[in-house]
Amino acid sequence: MSKSSQRSPFGWSNRGGQVTVIEAPVARSHRRRAIISFWVTLGVVGLLAATVASYYLHPILGALLGVVLGAVLGAVVFALIAAWPVLRVFWHWLPEIVLGLAVVYGWTTLMQSTPLWGSLLIVALVVGVPAAIKPIRLRVMAWVWCLIVRHRLRLCFAAFIATNRHGSLPLILPAKPTPAGERVWVWLRPGLSLRDLEQDGQVQKLAVACWANEVRVMRANRKYAALIRLDITRREPLAHTIVSPLPDYVPTDIPANAPTSPGMPPVGLDLPDVPDQPATASTDAPRQRKPRNNTTNTTSPNGFDPSDYA
Amino acid sequence: MDLTDTIELPTPATAADTVPVAGGLSIFDPVFLGIDEFGHPAYLPMIYRNILIGGEPGAGKSSLLNTIVGHAALCPDVRLCLLDGKQVELGLWKDAADVFVGPDMDHAIRTLRRVQTVMDNRYSFLLARRRRKIGPNDLFGQILVACDEIAYFSATAGDKKDQDLFAALLRDIVARGRAVGIIVAAATQRPSSDIIPPSLRDLFAWRFAGRCTNDVSSDIVLGHGWYARGFSSNSIDPNNQGEGYLIAEGGIPNRVKAAYMTDADIIRVADYATWTRRRSGLAAPAAKVAA
Ligand SMILES: Nc1ncnc2c1ncn2[C@@H]1O[C@H](COP(=O)(O)OP(=O)(O)O)[C@@H](O)[C@H]1O
Ligand SMILES: [Mg+2]
């Protein structure tokens, strides 16, 4: 990649070359975005504040105040955007952080308010009862899987789902446990579409990364193409036999004279009983044969027949 | 006179006092198919619809077809027209059915011709009444055409000409039968182009894919592109018969486990259906139609 293209004023003319190192351009574009945000905030807030302040103060004082206010707010925005890569990590791990804090603070307050044996008893109860009661345990595990899956998916998106030039990843929305596994909603950023996830082997890779059995992707909304849904399955909830309710519609007091067709004598039920007739080109013979349709003569080894999709 | 009104079915008036109305079901009610992955019941509205059932041998296709036929048999105004090259899969309903076609190509084609004629007559009738489709409690009931192992009729039995004719007739019934209450439910192992014409396969709005031997087969049943999104019925446990992907309302495949009727259940329901149908005069004895 040439030096000149790297130093282009907009920093994005390197799209023709191969960007193998994602970090440098991303960090650069980040800094640039922070600087631009600073100036825009300074301009807009400064102008507004100056206009309002001029009503009450001398215009020059008002203008000065506006600039100072704009600069302060701009600096805040700059700091937020510059620190966003770090803040983002906190955001991603927010449930875990909150949980951890709750555990630590809960434990200390418990220790302060009750004697040691009391605290131990309460902890044993809080941990032991859900662990002992199966439905609660399964429920808790399902929610834990939801947390895990969101991290795993983020890893996948960063690792092998094509991102756009800004390197922004799809937004992983909340996850919900289902009897088969989890369901996660994802908001795709510009530059991605469902097609990228449908590419050959992509869902299988997702399944591997999520420690799951299968991953299925589909649109989640008729209005927004960006909103997609991932169904991750890791359990088999359909293993039981479902008894059909249709017999329940039959009253118990129907007459026993079950109508049946006249019986058929057991003739021709074995090979010697069926004569060996000459085979003809016309297909009259199959009438004798037990009809089975084993005619799925596939045209290629993997059974793919282009005319099936004609 | 408001001709767009539906017209009451005349039959119950004659025999209403002795004959229990069969089950109180209606084909306008969705058919209970089984449960889905969330443990919710999966219902399949069959009126104005057609369904194609695919899957490897032993995937549970015939069982699902039996569930649909069973629902229809308990509907007092649905006539059954069953085609089964294997005879035993739908044979338990033989007495409740108006027509039961075994491994007899000629009979199958004659039957489809009859259904086609009925369809044409119904459309002429509707047109004369300035209506566009039938409703519940209409002057005429609905007809369920259930065909197990289509491949037997469309690719195995008879000669090429008969097979093409069969496929063409079935395609016509699937394409035009909906609005006059002619419903087609068809099962086959692998509906690839050498078994049934793609033009026939693509007419079925609803699909059920039981376990398939590979991902391509699953795509053939469900429609191209579902495998890429992770919907492949090849991943179904072969020992879990009756599980499969169902495309119905919503258009997205749903993993469901079909409800199962044991042979005793089927015989019980079929006997009851036969009894109520004979009493209400709906079913002609099956023996009469065999030529
Ligand atoms: N929904 C179901 N639940 C439980 N068992 C089933 C179900 N459907 C089918 N089976 C079992 O699988 C066997 C084969 O089913 P069948 O419908 O004959 O398969 P196919 O017609 O696809 O070859 C049945 O005899 C039954 O024991
Ligand atoms: Mg079968």
Side-chain angles (χ1 to χ4, degrees):
Chain A
M1 179 184 319
S2 71
K3 268 252 149 89
S4 65
S5 77
Q6 268 189 343
R7 242 188 279 118
S8 91
F10 302 105
W12 58 7
S13 62
N14 52 5
R15 61 182 147 185
Q18 293 125 317
V19 183
T20 41
V21 186
I22 194 92
E23 307 303 344
V26 167
R28 223 178 36 235
S29 88
H30 223 94
R31 209 175 49 233
R32 204 181 57 241
R33 211 180 307 165
I35 293 171
I36 292 174
S37 311
F38 171 77
W39 285 114
V40 170
T41 316
L42 174 62
V44 173
V45 173
L47 216 70
L48 275 177
T51 316
V52 174
S54 319
Y55 271 110
Y56 306 101
L57 301 173
H58 188 274
I60 294 178
L61 276 183
L64 267 176
L65 193 68
V67 168
V68 169
L69 239 131
V72 168
L73 271 180
V76 169
V77 169
F78 178 89
L80 274 182
I81 291 183
W84 177 238
V86 178
L87 292 182
R88 197 167 55 182
V89 175
F90 277 98
W91 170 248
H92 289 160
W93 290 89
L94 192 64
E96 285 83 354
I97 292 170
V98 169
L99 262 177
L101 286 181
V103 166
V104 169
Y105 278 97
W107 174 247
T108 44
T109 40
L110 202 65
M111 284 296 279
Q112 277 159 12
S113 54
T114 49
L116 181 64
W117 63 268
S119 324
L120 286 179
L121 192 74
I122 290 176
V123 168
L125 279 181
V126 165
V127 176
V129 168
I133 301 172
K134 200 173 172 201
I136 301 182
R137 190 176 65 226
L138 293 184
R139 200 77 208 155
V140 170
M141 280 314 293
W143 282 106
V144 169
W145 270 115
C146 284
L147 290 181
I148 296 174
V149 149
R150 294 181 76 240
H151 292 299
R152 300 304 300 175
L153 280 181
R154 188 170 307 118
L155 197 97
C156 294
F157 287 139
F160 58 83
I161 307 278
T163 53
N164 56 20
R165 266 196 310 279
H166 300 297
S168 56
L169 300 174
L171 209 60
I172 299 174
L173 302 174
K176 183 185 102 173
T178 65
E182 299 84 40
R183 170 170 288 185
V184 190
W185 284 268
V186 173
W187 180 270
L188 297 178
R189 294 284 178 71
L192 275 182
S193 77
L194 190 55
R195 273 286 146 76
D196 294 308
L197 295 175
E198 277 174 11
Q199 257 149 36
D200 200 22
Q202 234 33 337
V203 287
Q204 285 80 4
K205 283 193 223 163
L206 285 176
V208 169
C210 293
W211 305 319
N213 174 29
E214 266 189 309
V215 172
R216 314 198 280 260
V217 295
M218 68 214 86
R219 281 184 64 158
N221 192 295
R222 287 201 181 278
K223 246 165 92 184
Y224 300 108
L227 191 60
I228 63 166
R229 197 173 84 195
L230 281 90
D231 272 343
I232 297 149
T233 66
R234 59 183 80 255
R235 292 179 282 271
E236 173 58 277
L238 297 175
H240 311 287
T241 298
I242 313 296
V243 179
S244 172
L246 284 178
D248 301 342
Y249 288 93
V250 179
T252 44
D253 56 343
I254 60 163
N257 57 343
T260 46
S261 301
M264 167 193 161
V267 173
L269 298 186
D270 215 341
L271 206 50
D273 303 341
V274 179
D276 181 11
Q277 283 170 337
T280 48
S282 85
T283 34
D284 275 349
R287 201 155 303 172
Q288 302 278 340
R289 214 178 59 196
K290 182 102 178 90
R292 290 295 306 168
N293 60 336
N294 292 324
T295 52
T296 50
N297 33 9
T298 49
T299 45
S300 68
N302 64 357
F304 181 79
D305 179 1
S307 56
D308 284 336
Y309 299 121
Chain B
M1 185 175 132
D2 184 9
L3 288 174
T4 57
D5 249 354
T6 54
I7 301 151
E8 279 298 318
L9 199 68
T11 33
T14 53
D17 35 354
T18 49
V19 177
V21 176
L25 282 176
S26 159
I27 199 73
F28 286 84
D29 299 334
V31 176
F32 175 78
L33 205 85
I35 61 162
D36 66 11
E37 245 176 1
F38 305 97
H40 300 152
Y43 285 98
L44 189 69
M46 282 305 294
I47 187 73
Y48 312 131
R49 303 285 175 176
N50 303 297
I51 186 170
L52 176 68
I53 302 165
E56 65 178 24
K61 303 181 296 294
S62 306
S63 300
L64 179 59
L65 206 55
N66 268 299
T67 303
I68 295 172
V69 171
H71 181 103
L74 289 179
C75 302
D77 54 352
V78 179
R79 290 184 186 274
L80 301 178
C81 179
L82 309 177
L83 294 89
D84 180 8
K86 209 172 149 189
Q87 295 189 64
V88 292
E89 302 285 16
L90 298 175
L92 296 176
W93 304 102
K94 189 171 179 172
D95 293 313
D98 282 77
V99 189
F100 180 81
V101 181
D104 182 347
M105 191 64 174
D106 219 41
H107 191 195
I109 288 177
R110 286 202 317 271
T111 305
L112 290 191
R113 278 240 164 85
R114 276 175 73 197
V115 175
Q116 196 185 30
T117 311
V118 168
M119 179 171 74
D120 289 336
N121 294 345
R122 285 183 173 194
Y123 275 117
S124 309
F125 173 82
L126 283 188
L127 183 65
R129 296 279 174 119
R130 304 189 67 188
R131 291 170 50 192
R132 298 190 57 196
K133 66 176 185 181
I134 64 157
N137 300 323
D138 219 318
L139 187 61
F140 42 77
Q142 291 77 38
I143 300 176
L144 175 73
V145 180
C147 180
D148 198 1
E149 306 288 7
I150 317 180
Y152 176 76
F153 297 105
S154 68
T156 310
D159 54 16
K160 190 88 189 83
K161 223 173 81 238
D162 286 348
Q163 295 167 1
D164 288 348
L165 181 59
F166 177 87
L169 286 170
L170 193 62
R171 181 167 59 223
D172 184 38
I173 292 167
V174 174
R176 292 196 294 143
R178 296 183 332 116
V180 287
I182 297 176
I183 299 162
V184 179
T188 187
Q189 291 176 6
R190 188 177 188 271
S192 50
S193 58
D194 49 342
I195 304 294
I196 66 172
S199 57
L200 167 58
R201 183 184 67 212
D202 293 342
L203 289 178
F204 289 94
W206 288 354
R207 316 287 182 100
F208 180 89
R211 192 195 132 80
C212 287
T213 39
N214 58 49
D215 302 320
V216 177
S217 296
S218 167
D219 249 15
I220 290 174
V221 182
L222 292 176
H224 186 46
W226 286 113
Y227 163 56
R229 298 182 190 177
F231 296 85
S232 169
S233 67
N234 183 33
S235 64
I236 289 168
D237 179 5
N239 295 319
N240 193 4
Q241 291 110 339
E243 184 179 356
Y245 280 108
L246 174 75
I247 300 189
E249 284 169 322
I252 292 176
N254 221 350
R255 194 112 168 202
V256 298
K257 170 85 179 221
Y260 183 60
M261 280 205 275
T262 60
D263 289 356
D265 286 342
I266 295 177
I267 289 170
R268 193 172 138 80
V269 175
D271 284 355
Y272 177 64
T274 311
W275 182 58
T276 51
R277 277 155 188 262
R278 292 232 169 113
R279 297 295 291 270
S280 68
L282 184 66
K288 200 189 75 192
V289 266

